[in-house]
């Protein structure tokens, strides 16, 4: 139960929504599927005076743009992405990452944009603070960090746990941002601040309108893995998304994009690991080398009871396997 | 007997249609006009003196109808255990100091939830923080922060000891001296919770001198007794109404503060008051199961025969006694039942810490101690070069053996269970296979076995159950029983028994249950005895009604009672089937000729007719029951040796549940316990830091989902029969089976990987670093070892 009063607005268009957000400045929150916002309101981690619901605005169907890229309305439900033939055909990893989220009910409500705009998480943060950890932490505007007591005010190591974001990063996707001033398009990686205090680089009066996934280069394979304890209905201990392209010779790696989520304040690109692969023949040993490099450079934060040491081992093993699956797909992909 | 029509068959659940159509009324569904919202103010400190409480601002808030602190109570204490040695120790609201985070300090009733929350926030409490202690071993050290003084009868020089169970037989020192092999191990279990889906909910309405209560519970009569006592009301002034219950697993017995507060607030306001615990409150302030630390020293002969055992158990009982002094007693019991131990010394300490109070949790000590004993037994077997089956058969108790407490195991099926489990699982062919010849890839499979035994229906308040069967004049029956159906199927089972004894249809039986005003007293659904105790009472009551019907028919038909039988609501002569009367006719005749006797049967039952009392928790003296159930369980697990990720693939439960009144319900109990145990083994843990709970939600406390279920097979070694008109013996099947399988999983992980885990849960991390430690060890130059037993 949400134990404070708030107003609800249901604008008819996205433009009206951002106009409302601009007018209400700070007191308003966007409500899409509510699967992240509602629990946080119940815990009073956020207490907006007004909710601006996107419920009256029907999402557009995913569509292929003239340049071959795929545009997905950010208001689409995650379950719609799972079920969409176009998404499966053009960006199957996006569909798979959407399917990795929560459970059926969460995916039927949660939207693509909402998933990207989720709050970062920490065991100490994600609960009510009536009698547990009652003094506020830095992220809540207070004076301490419970899990990392030596952290300074500017450092919050809550982790950003979207399953979809690493997939979009690995796919090299952009997002369209809508504000009263109009639209702008940025690489999805620029959506994130890298700070657990406020993980999103969005102005309070902006919303994500769409994600645009470029057409893959020839001979590109992909693979996605979410490490969990029980295989579903949970956030990942680590989320791994990979695309890997082979050169014309069908043997050399032309390039790879590796993103690891749920272990830092933002989805992390494993650039050093990508460099290990680029221009090399991705044999098993090379994949293992890349995976080891990634585990190191990602430098996972201990979170939700998992130690840094174990997360590194888990990422190392599962990234190697994920790369191998992507390589297999690349070999089978159209040239 | 092959002519049974109802018992021994998998009848559809009586409560099934109501539950799947949403008609079932739970405590939250009961609506009364004018109901106020109650809310509890809880301690933000693990240990603090309360210097001052000021409720005036809360009281002044519009919409607030009442605020209570301990000063508004009668100061009557309650406890899970209330005996001369362990008197009630907990007040319903904190007095003077708080001893755990989330302890109840005050309560409010207001017109709505938001006002109630605001009121709680307006209560000013001044605390003086005290040093706190969380680890029971630390808490026992002299000079540790004192949660409560040690029990006056515990003479050891330890602090914070709330109680001690101690027993010894034989000569342990001589036993170890005579052993060929002795080993010592230490095991630890972790903090888990029950995971009932329905939260704690209580609606209380004080009206016309009567306290009407709807509450999610495991036994209406226990609730009534404790609520009446703390409210200082006669039992007759408190009525616990029937509601459906959405899961308990041990977590809803005893009195909870919110139940008292709802009732007290209703007495003050004259309006109904409802308090619903949030899931966060349940995780962070309510009662979980009990982690145990267990030190076990065992001496055996070369052939694996146990000669002596010395066990020391320490539990973390939290801020009050709770069931802490029971779990250390039960851990002894679950030690002594399955195997013969000629010489034993046992001591168990229940230790106060600044954690919330602890409750029973399905198995109540059995999963912990069986995990420890069965893990160690496998290590011993390996050292001696004996297989896990042989060593268990060597020590398993046989039918008719007497137990050290004076009980008899009667038709114990343990040896058969072990043999059948080994055969059905192909245990000996599979055991050790992947370690001897590792397969390709990173998946290793392992198999393990664990055994367990459990008692049923031990004496504890209210000690016995009674049942009334009222015949309707059309020949159908209304059954009045205090039994509470918490999902285990008691109403179905009782209906089957009544239908069998009366030879009427299942649909002819209407159950009225679990209402302290209208139904007879009942033991409740929390000591694994309902089918045995209440079931036998139902059998007697129905039999009593049948005897009356037959007696009337005998008079009317002029046929001796011995020549009459009943079938399909008809009494007939076995010599001349044309001499017959329908129940309708018999009942009309009874009313006509027996001064209005409408035929009411009554029955009652109690475990152990002549035993005066329950056994002593401190000395373990005294009998438990005439009903012990035995089981052997086999687990097959898969482990990814690169990541340590492990899962239960297949479980086999071979059990001796006595007579299965409803085999489908037995199967449901088995499958439920397998899933609960695999959560225990691989997933679930209440994470805490300094007395605060880190994962007070379903997301971060990971219970298994449907996708994690393992194949669960079972077989029963039936050792009891049911005969109409005679007492029958059913054995426990609802909680003991979380135990052997936990041990089996530990042993299977070892079998797959060589990693021996002495602590639960078996996380990927622990398994992986166990593997790495083995790799490291394998690379070291070998020191010369002494070989031999």
């Amino acid at each position: 139960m949400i134990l404070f009063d708030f107003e609800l607005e249901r604008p008819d268009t996205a433009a009206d929504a951002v106009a409302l957000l601009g007018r209400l400045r700070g007191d308003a929150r966007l409500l899409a599927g509510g699967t992240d916002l509602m629990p946080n309101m119940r815990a009073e981690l956020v207490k907006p005076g007004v909710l601006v619901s996107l419920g009256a605005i029907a999402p557009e169907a995913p569509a292929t743009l003239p340049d071959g890229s795929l545009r997905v309305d950010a208001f689409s439900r995650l379950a719609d992405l799972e079920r969409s033939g176009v998404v499966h055909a053009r960006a199957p990893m996006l569909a798979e990452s959407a399917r990795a989220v929560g459970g059926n009910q969460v995916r039927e409500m949660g939207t693509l944009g909402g998933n990207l705009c989720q709050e970062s998480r920490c065991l100490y943060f994600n609960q009510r603070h009536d009698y547990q950890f009652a003094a506020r932490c830095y992220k809540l505007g207070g004076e301490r960090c419970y899990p990392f007591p030596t952290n300074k005010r500017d450092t919050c190591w809550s982790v950003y746990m979207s399953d979809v974001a690493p997939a979009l990063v690995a796919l090299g996707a952009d997002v369209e941002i809508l504000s009263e001033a109009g639209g702008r398009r940025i690489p999805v990686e620029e959506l994130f601040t890298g700070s657990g205090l406020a993980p999103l680089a969005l102005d309070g009066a902006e919303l994500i309108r769409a994600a645009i996934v470029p057409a893959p280069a020839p001979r590109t394979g992909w693979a996605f893995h979410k490490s969990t304890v029980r295989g579903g209905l949970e956030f990942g201990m680590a989320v791994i998304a990979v695309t890997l392209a082979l050169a014309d010779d069908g043997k050399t790696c032309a390039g790879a994009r590796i993103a690891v989520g749920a272990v830092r304040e933002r989805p992390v690109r494993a650039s050093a690991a990508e460099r290990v692969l680029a221009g090399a023949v991705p044999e098993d040993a090379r994949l293992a080398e890349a995976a080891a490099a990634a585990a190191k450079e990602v430098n996972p934060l201990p979170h939700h009871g998992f130690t840094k040491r174990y997360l590194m081992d888990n990422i190392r093993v599962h990234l190697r396997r994920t790369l191998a699956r992507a390589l297999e797909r690349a070999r089978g992909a159209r040239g | 007997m092959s002519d049974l029509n109802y018992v021994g068959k998998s009848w559809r659940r009586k409560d099934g249609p109501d539950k799947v159509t949403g008609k079932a009324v739970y405590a939250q569904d009961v609506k009364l006009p004018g109901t106020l919202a109650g809310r509890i103010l809880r301690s933000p400190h693990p240990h603090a003196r309360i210097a001052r409480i000021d409720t005036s601002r809360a009281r002044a808030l519009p919409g607030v109808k009442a605020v209570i602190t301990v000063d508004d109570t009668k100061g009557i204490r309650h406890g899970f255990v209330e005996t001369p040695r362990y008197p009630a120790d907990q007040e319903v609201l904190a007095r003077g100091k708080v001893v755990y985070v989330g302890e109840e300090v005050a309560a409010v009733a207001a017109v709505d939830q938001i006002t109630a929350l605001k009121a709680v926030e307006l209560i000013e409490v001044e605390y003086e923080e005290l040093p706190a202690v969380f680890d029971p071993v630390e808490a026992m050290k002299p000079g540790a922060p004192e949660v409560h003084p040690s029990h006056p009868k515990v003479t050891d020089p330890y602090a914070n000891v709330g109680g001690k169970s101690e027993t010894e037989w034989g000569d342990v020192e001589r036993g170890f001296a005579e052993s060929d092999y002795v080993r010592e191990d230490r095991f630890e279990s972790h903090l888990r919770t029950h995971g009932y889906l329905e939260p704690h909910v209580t609606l209380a309405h004080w009206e016309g001198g009567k306290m009407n209560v709807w509450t999610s519970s495991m036994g209406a009569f226990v609730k009534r007794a404790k609520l009446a006592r703390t409210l200082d009301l006669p039992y007759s002034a408190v009525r616990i109404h029937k509601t459906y219950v959405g899961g308990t697993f041990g977590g809803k017995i005893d009195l909870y503060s919110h139940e008292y507060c709802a009732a007290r607030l209703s007495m003050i306001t004259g309006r109904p008051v409802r308090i619903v615990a949030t899931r966060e409150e349940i995780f962070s302030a309510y009662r979980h199961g009990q982690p145990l630390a267990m030190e076990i020293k065992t001496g055996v002969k070369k052939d694996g025969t146990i000669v002596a055992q010395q066990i020391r158990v320490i539990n973390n009982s939290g801020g009050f006694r709770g069931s802490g002094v029971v779990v250390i007693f039960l851990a002894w019991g679950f030690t002594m039942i399955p195997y013969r131990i000629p010489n034993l010394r046992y001591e168990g300490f229940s230790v106060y810490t600044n954690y919330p109070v602890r409750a029973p949790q399905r198995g109540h000590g059995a999963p912990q101690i069986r995990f420890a004993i069965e893990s160690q037994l496998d290590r011993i077997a390996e050292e001696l070069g004996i297989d896990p089956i042989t060593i268990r058969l060597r020590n398993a108790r046989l039918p008719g053996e007497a137990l050290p407490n004076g009980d008899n195991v009667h038709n114990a099926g343990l040896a058969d269970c072990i043999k059948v489990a080994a055969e059905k699982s192909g245990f000996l062919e599979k055991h050790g296979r992947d370690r001897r010849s590792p397969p390709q890839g990173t998946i290793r499979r392992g198999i393990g076995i664990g055994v367990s035994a459990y008692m049923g229906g031990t004496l504890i308040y209210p000690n016995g159950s009674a049942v009334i069967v009222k015949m309707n004049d059309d020949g159908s029956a209304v059954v009045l029983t205090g039994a509470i159906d918490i999902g285990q199927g008691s109403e179905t089972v009782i209906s089957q028994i009544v239908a069998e004894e009366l030879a009427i249809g299942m649909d002819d039986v209407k159950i009225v249950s679990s209402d302290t005003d209208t139904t007879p007293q009942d033991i409740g659904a929390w000591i694994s005895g309902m089918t045995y105790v209440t079931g036998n009472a139902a059998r007697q009551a129905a039999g009593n009604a049948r005897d009356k019907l037959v007696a009337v028919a005998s008079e009317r038909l002029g046929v001796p009672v011995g020549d009459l039988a009943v079938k399909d609501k008809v009494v007939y002569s076995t010599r001349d089937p044309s001499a017959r009367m329908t129940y309708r006719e018999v009942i009309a005749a009874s009313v006509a000729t027996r001064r209005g006797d409408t035929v009411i049967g009554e029955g009652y039952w109690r475990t152990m007719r002549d035993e005066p009392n329950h056994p002593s928790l401190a000395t373990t003296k005294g009998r438990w029951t005439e009903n012990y159930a035995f089981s052997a369980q086999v687990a097959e697990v898969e482990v990814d040796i690169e990541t340590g990720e492990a899962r239960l693939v297949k479980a086999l439960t071979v059990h001796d549940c006595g007579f299965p009144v409803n085999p489908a319900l037995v199967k449901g109990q088995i499958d439920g316990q397998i899933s609960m145990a695999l959560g225990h083994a691989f997933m679930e843990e209440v994470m805490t830091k300094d007395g605060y709970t880190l994962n007070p939600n379903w997301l971060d406390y990971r219970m298994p989902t449907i996708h994690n279920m393992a194949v669960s097979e079972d077989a029963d070694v039936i050792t009891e029969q049911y005969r109409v008109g005679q007492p029958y013996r059913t054995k426990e099947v609802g909680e003991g089976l979380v135990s052997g399988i936990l041990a089996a999983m530990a042993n299977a992980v070892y079998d797959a990987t060589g990693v021996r885990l002495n602590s639960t849960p078996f996380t990927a991390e622990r398994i992986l670093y166990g593997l790495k430690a083995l790799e490291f060890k394998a690379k070291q130059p070998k020191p010369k070892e002494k070989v031999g037993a």
Side-chain angles (χ1 to χ4, degrees):
Chain A
M1 185 179 261
I2 293 170
L3 292 176
F4 59 89
D5 291 320
F6 57 90
E7 310 271 318
L8 180 72
E9 298 282 356
R10 266 170 76 90
D12 294 324
T13 66
D16 288 351
V18 287
L20 259 171
L21 288 178
R23 204 157 59 241
L24 295 162
R25 268 297 158 195
D27 195 33
R29 281 297 185 115
L30 272 182
L31 173 67
T35 58
D36 189 51
L37 182 61
M38 289 296 138
N40 288 351
M41 285 172 68
R42 277 204 294 273
E44 296 184 36
L45 305 180
V46 54
K47 289 179 81 170
V50 184
L51 289 187
V52 177
S53 167
L54 301 177
I57 308 168
E60 293 162 24
T64 313
L65 301 180
D67 65 352
S69 57
L70 175 74
R71 184 179 186 279
V72 184
D73 193 314
F75 300 174
S76 306
R77 308 279 173 187
L78 295 168
D80 293 339
L81 304 188
E82 248 182 286
R83 289 189 289 251
S84 161
V86 182
V87 174
H88 270 282
R90 312 294 300 198
M93 183 155 62
L94 178 57
E96 186 164 322
S97 68
R99 193 176 155 63
V101 177
N104 283 319
Q105 290 90 338
V106 167
R107 296 194 296 272
E108 289 292 341
M109 290 302 293
T111 66
L112 171 61
N115 187 273
L116 290 175
C117 291
Q118 66 183 261
E119 187 54 276
S120 53
R121 306 184 68 84
C122 159
L123 288 176
Y124 296 80
F125 173 72
N126 287 104
Q127 48 178 296
R128 280 188 70 90
H129 299 276
D130 299 329
Y131 55 90
Q132 288 229 115
F133 312 111
R136 310 207 128 210
C137 71
Y138 293 140
K139 190 170 167 67
L140 286 168
E143 291 298 323
R144 70 192 69 213
C145 177
Y146 288 101
F148 306 102
T150 56
N151 274 4
K152 298 283 184 292
R153 173 189 304 278
D154 58 355
T155 304
C156 166
W157 283 341
S158 57
V159 290
Y160 173 80
M161 305 187 85
S162 163
D163 297 319
V164 174
L168 289 177
V169 171
L171 289 165
D174 288 346
V175 285
E176 268 179 36
I177 311 284
L178 184 69
S179 67
E180 275 191 281
R184 63 189 172 105
R185 180 169 160 173
I186 57 169
V188 70
E189 287 167 84
E190 289 177 20
L191 191 58
F192 306 105
T193 61
S195 165
L197 293 169
L200 294 170
L202 285 182
D203 183 272
E206 290 179 320
L207 60 78
I208 300 179
R209 193 63 195 85
I212 293 147
V213 183
R219 290 172 298 279
T220 297
W222 62 275
F224 179 87
H225 171 81
K226 177 173 175 176
S227 286
T228 62
V229 171
R230 65 177 172 191
L233 273 180
E234 66 182 306
F235 285 100
M237 67 172 90
V239 179
I240 295 166
V242 166
T243 58
L244 189 153
L246 290 174
D248 293 345
D249 63 6
K251 287 179 182 155
T252 316
C253 173
R257 290 177 68 92
I258 300 170
V260 180
V263 292
R264 297 286 325 186
E265 309 91 322
R266 55 173 299 155
V268 183
R269 270 289 284 285
S271 313
E274 291 174 5
R275 285 195 296 275
V276 170
L277 294 172
V281 177
E283 289 157 343
D284 287 354
R286 182 64 74 152
L287 298 184
E289 188 192 334
K296 209 167 155 195
E297 70 174 313
V298 164
N299 190 22
L301 290 165
H303 72 90
H304 295 86
F306 308 110
T307 63
K308 175 176 174 163
R309 180 186 179 203
Y310 182 72
L311 289 172
M312 287 182 70
D313 279 324
N314 188 281
I315 291 168
R316 191 173 45 73
V317 173
H318 281 298
L319 177 54
R320 195 195 72 227
R321 295 176 184 179
T322 308
L323 285 167
R325 282 193 292 129
L327 178 61
E328 207 158 296
R329 282 204 178 99
R331 285 178 179 146
R334 277 176 304 149
Chain B
M1 294 266 294
S2 56
D3 57 345
L4 297 171
N5 293 307
Y6 299 100
V7 298
K9 297 189 167 37
S10 294
W11 283 88
R12 194 179 75 179
R13 301 177 67 105
K14 276 281 210 189
D15 54 338
D18 272 1
K19 283 184 175 166
V20 298
T21 57
K23 282 185 199 143
V25 172
Y26 295 81
Q28 172 72 346
D29 301 320
V30 179
K31 307 287 187 219
L32 297 177
T35 297
L36 298 172
R39 194 174 181 92
I40 310 276
L41 173 70
R42 298 179 179 280
S43 164
H45 302 295
H47 199 189
R49 206 179 317 284
I50 299 173
R52 185 180 65 92
I53 305 180
D54 184 350
T55 60
S56 55
R57 288 177 66 210
R59 286 175 203 276
L61 184 72
V64 173
K65 301 297 179 190
V67 182
I68 56 170
T69 69
V70 72
D71 292 335
D72 302 289
T73 75
K74 294 272 179 98
I76 298 167
R77 292 168 183 232
H78 67 99
F80 181 85
V81 179
E82 297 180 1
T83 62
R85 188 185 186 94
Y86 297 131
D89 66 335
Q90 189 175 1
E91 296 218 34
V92 288
L93 290 166
R95 185 186 295 279
K97 76 170 190 172
V98 288
V99 289
Y100 58 90
V101 172
E103 185 173 353
E104 299 82 358
V105 174
V108 305
V111 290
D112 57 36
Q113 288 282 356
I114 292 182
T115 309
L117 173 64
K118 283 180 182 155
V120 161
E121 288 171 350
L122 286 173
I123 298 172
E124 293 169 23
V125 186
E126 203 179 296
Y127 294 101
E128 291 161 10
E129 287 188 59
L130 296 167
V133 64
F134 307 103
D135 178 89
V137 175
E138 288 300 312
M140 288 170 81
K141 290 181 181 163
E146 186 179 76
V147 185
H148 302 292
S150 278
H151 193 283
K153 288 195 172 162
V154 174
T155 52
D156 311 72
Y158 298 130
N160 290 309
V161 174
K164 182 178 179 185
S165 294
E166 200 171 8
T167 195
E168 182 166 5
W169 60 76
D171 183 337
V172 177
E173 297 312 330
R174 214 175 77 192
F176 286 129
E178 289 172 359
S179 296
D180 295 321
Y181 175 68
V182 177
R183 75 169 292 135
E184 288 181 67
D185 294 285
R186 186 172 194 278
F187 298 88
E188 274 190 41
S189 66
H190 68 289
L191 185 60
R192 290 187 312 133
T193 196
H194 312 82
Y196 37 79
L197 285 182
E198 182 204 18
H200 278 276
V201 182
T202 300
L203 173 66
H205 189 200
W206 176 249
E207 193 181 31
K210 186 99 183 184
M211 179 58 70
N212 290 287
V213 178
W214 293 260
T215 193
S216 183
S217 92
M218 304 173 70
F221 291 88
V222 178
K223 290 286 187 197
R224 180 181 71 173
K226 298 202 172 188
L227 199 49
R229 279 214 296 281
T230 49
L231 289 166
D232 200 19
L233 292 172
Y235 286 13
S236 58
V238 175
R239 178 179 182 185
I240 311 290
H241 291 256
K242 183 227 165 88
T243 60
Y244 278 105
V245 181
T248 60
F249 309 110
K252 291 176 180 173
I253 196 61
D254 205 357
L255 180 72
Y256 281 79
S257 173
H258 74 268
E259 295 175 312
Y260 172 90
C261 289
R264 188 78 190 95
L265 288 166
S266 181
M267 288 175 84
I268 293 169
T269 60
R271 287 170 66 170
V273 175
R274 188 192 316 272
I275 299 183
V276 183
T278 66
R279 190 56 61 178
E280 286 203 38
E281 287 179 298
I282 289 167
F283 271 111
S284 59
Y286 277 66
R287 302 177 184 194
H288 303 314
Q290 306 192 34
L292 300 184
M294 299 154 283
E295 292 166 7
I296 302 182
K297 181 177 176 184
T298 303
V300 294
K301 288 291 188 188
K302 274 186 185 135
D303 68 354
T305 305
I306 297 170
V307 184
Q309 206 158 42
Q310 180 171 305
I311 297 184
R312 188 169 198 259
V313 169
I314 295 171
N315 94 324
N316 183 339
S317 87
F320 290 97
R321 221 175 263 133
S323 80
V325 290
V326 181
V327 80
I328 54 166
F329 160 77
L330 290 175
W332 161 76
F334 300 127
T335 298
M336 63 97 186
I337 313 168
Y339 300 135
R340 281 180 298 274
I341 310 164
N343 305 289
L344 179 122
R345 182 183 299 142
Y346 176 94
E347 57 178 7
F349 294 92
S350 179
V351 181
Y352 297 121
T353 63
N354 294 111
Y355 272 117
V357 188
R358 305 301 189 203
Q361 180 173 1
R362 203 178 200 176
H364 210 182
Q368 298 96 315
I369 196 75
R370 291 320 306 169
F371 155 64
I373 289 173
E374 299 286 313
S375 294
Q376 192 191 50
L377 199 62
D378 261 26
R379 301 186 86 144
I380 291 170
E382 189 174 28
E383 284 293 331
L384 298 177
I386 305 175
D387 69 74
I389 305 301
T390 304
I391 197 167
R392 285 174 173 77
L393 284 173
R394 188 94 67 212
N395 293 291
R397 289 195 189 276
L398 299 173
E401 279 193 33
L403 292 173
N405 64 346
D407 280 341
N408 190 291
V409 299
H410 297 293
N411 294 327
L414 180 56
D416 286 345
C417 287
I418 296 169
K419 284 179 206 154
V420 172
E423 281 161 27
K424 272 184 80 88
S425 63
F427 190 92
L428 292 175
E429 297 88 84
K430 291 175 183 171
H431 188 250
R433 196 160 62 190
D434 279 13
R435 272 181 296 148
R436 280 194 302 273
S437 46
Q440 290 285 305
T442 63
I443 301 296
R444 298 288 179 273
R445 198 151 168 143
I447 191 166
I449 186 169
V451 313
S452 184
Y454 216 90
M455 74 294 177
T458 299
L459 297 179
I460 188 165
Y461 180 84
N463 297 311
S465 295
V467 170
I468 293 168
V469 172
K470 300 193 298 171
M471 298 307 298
N472 297 315
D473 52 13
D474 68 350
S476 63
V478 173
V479 179
L480 307 183
T481 168
I484 186 164
D485 197 325
I486 56 172
Q488 86 282 37
S490 61
E491 295 190 4
T492 310
V493 163
I494 290 166
S495 296
Q496 287 176 260
I497 290 166
V498 170
E500 189 71 61
E501 296 286 333
L502 274 171
I504 62 179
M506 280 291 278
D507 291 338
D508 290 322
V509 182
K510 159 80 180 162
I511 301 272
V512 174
S513 70
S514 192
D515 178 321
T516 55
D517 267 16
T518 62
T519 68
Q521 194 148 291
D522 190 88
I523 56 169
W526 58 291
I527 44 171
S528 285
M530 203 170 256
T531 303
Y532 175 60
V533 179
T534 310
N536 265 311
R539 177 192 57 74
Q540 271 200 347
N544 182 221
R546 183 193 58 228
D547 290 348
K548 288 184 178 179
L549 293 170
V550 170
V552 173
S554 169
E555 275 173 26
R556 304 290 283 190
L557 294 169
V559 176
V561 164
D563 291 343
L564 290 173
V566 293
K567 193 179 183 184
D568 297 338
K569 289 192 268 187
V570 170
V571 187
Y572 66 96
S573 162
T574 50
R575 293 172 188 274
D576 171 17
S578 71
R580 64 197 296 275
M581 282 177 83
T582 63
Y583 282 8
R584 183 191 294 270
E585 290 163 347
V586 177
I587 292 162
S590 173
V591 171
T593 63
R594 297 199 163 191
R595 203 162 185 174
D597 184 349
T598 58
V599 184
I600 296 173
E602 55 179 51
Y604 39 83
W605 200 260
R606 172 190 199 268
T607 306
M608 300 183 298
R609 230 178 38 183
D610 304 322
E611 206 63 18
N613 210 338
H614 57 72
S616 158
L617 298 177
T619 67
T620 77
K621 299 283 183 292
R623 291 188 54 200
W624 277 16
T625 183
E626 54 242 316
N627 276 315
Y628 287 94
F630 293 85
S631 62
Q633 292 175 293
V634 172
E636 294 184 52
V637 303
E638 276 183 4
V639 181
D640 185 328
I641 54 169
E642 276 194 323
T643 62
E645 291 160 326
R647 68 188 186 99
L648 177 66
V649 177
K650 193 172 171 186
L652 169 65
T653 299
V654 183
H655 60 92
D656 145 25
C657 75
F659 178 80
V661 175
N662 187 317
L665 289 173
V666 171
K667 175 69 176 151
Q669 289 286 0
I670 292 166
D671 292 352
Q673 286 173 93
I674 297 299
S675 73
M676 192 168 263
L678 78 90
H680 184 171
F682 297 115
M683 299 172 192
E684 297 173 31
E685 179 167 17
V686 179
M687 293 186 259
T688 62
K689 172 103 182 284
D690 298 343
Y692 296 89
T693 303
L694 297 180
N695 55 341
N697 58 68
W698 291 126
L699 192 59
D700 299 313
Y701 182 86
R702 297 182 191 86
M703 291 179 66
T705 74
I706 191 73
H707 300 295
N708 305 116
M709 297 300 106
V711 173
S712 166
E713 295 176 347
D714 68 288
D716 55 356
V717 181
I718 298 179
T719 52
E720 304 292 341
Q721 293 295 317
Y722 186 105
R723 287 182 185 81
V724 170
Q726 289 180 29
Y728 63 85
R729 186 170 277 153
T730 54
K731 301 181 185 176
E732 186 280 332
V733 79
E735 56 179 323
L737 301 177
V738 289
S739 310
I741 193 67
L742 178 66
M745 284 187 275
N747 288 335
V749 167
Y750 174 78
D751 187 48
T753 61
V755 174
R756 177 57 69 183
L757 295 171
N758 283 7
S759 300
T760 57
F762 316 135
T763 60
E765 176 156 356
R766 281 198 178 131
I767 294 173
L768 183 64
Y769 297 134
L771 280 160
K772 286 188 189 282
L774 288 177
E775 269 173 44
F776 180 78
K777 213 170 134 192
K779 282 182 198 149
Q780 303 306 303
K782 277 215 160 157
K784 288 208 171 142
E785 276 180 47
K786 263 200 293 179
V787 183

